[in-house]
């Protein structure tokens, strides 16, 4: 999958559409999800043009990698979800049902989030 420069997060980064910003660093941006699935639901994205985690970890510099993972942890602390716990999740590609083709980590918190994935029925 090649990078689409007109995906919605690229447009947010260019300031073409608004977002509710939580945190910004040299290489990363965190903002509230437009359709929250938990009381706290924030997305953290790298500013670079990476489709998903596979693309990012193959191509990004050490500085971008460090900035991004630190931005995820710092954003959670800014949101205050670290005390009760939170979940991070990144959908990567078709099997994971990734909708926006720009790497993003979801931060969910503010309530008990249940188990990680539904088990498949026994065969
Ligand atoms: P994915 O399924 O790709 O992991 O998640 C994409 C996420 O982006 C969804 O949770 C969706 O609500 C969010 N989203 C889609 N369009 C926008 C937008 O224009 N602004 C913001 N803040 N979030 C968006």
């Amino acid at each position: 999958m090649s990078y689409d420069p007109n995906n919605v997060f690229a447009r947010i980064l260019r300031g073409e559409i608004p977002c509710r910003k939580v945190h910004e660093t040299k290489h990363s941006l965190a903002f509230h999800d437009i359709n929250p699935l938990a009381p706290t639901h924030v997305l953290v994205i790298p500013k670079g043009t990476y489709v998903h985690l596979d693309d990012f970890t193959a191509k990004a510099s050490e500085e971008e990698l460090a900035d991004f993972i630190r931005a995820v942890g710092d954003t959670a602390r800014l949101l205050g979800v670290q005390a009760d716990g939170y979940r991070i999740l990144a959908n990567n590609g078709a099997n994971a049902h990734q909708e926006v083709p720009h790497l993003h980590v979801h931060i969910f918190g503010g309530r008990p989030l249940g188990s990680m994935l539904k088990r498949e029925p026994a065969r």
Side-chain angles (χ1 to χ4, degrees):
M1 191 195 294
S2 61
Y3 187 79
D4 171 8
N6 287 319
N7 78 75
V8 71
F9 296 164
R11 297 187 63 207
I12 285 175
L13 284 167
R14 291 197 295 268
E16 293 169 7
I17 54 176
C19 72
R20 285 177 55 215
K21 185 164 87 175
V22 176
H23 184 44
E24 183 168 10
T25 65
K26 183 175 175 190
H27 294 294
S28 309
L29 178 69
F31 53 89
H32 289 274
D33 196 290
I34 204 168
N35 188 21
L37 297 173
T40 298
H41 184 176
V42 164
L43 304 170
V44 189
I45 66 173
K47 291 182 178 175
T49 56
Y50 302 106
V51 179
H52 42 41
L53 195 74
D54 181 60
D55 194 24
F56 185 59
T57 54
K59 296 180 190 160
S61 68
E62 300 299 313
E63 185 181 321
E64 289 175 294
L65 288 160
D67 179 295
F68 184 66
I69 190 65
R70 190 173 297 281
V72 173
D74 287 350
T75 298
R77 274 190 298 280
L78 284 169
L79 293 163
V81 292
Q82 84 288 354
D84 290 339
Y86 62 95
R87 178 170 294 156
I88 61 172
L89 179 146
N91 293 317
N92 297 278
N95 272 1
H97 210 276
Q98 181 179 2
E99 289 175 4
V100 179
H102 182 118
L103 171 62
H104 49 286
V105 165
H106 298 254
I107 299 176
F108 299 107
R111 66 167 168 80
L113 296 161
S115 61
M116 187 167 63
L117 287 176
K118 286 203 178 87
R119 286 196 188 281
E120 288 187 354
R123 296 179 194 187

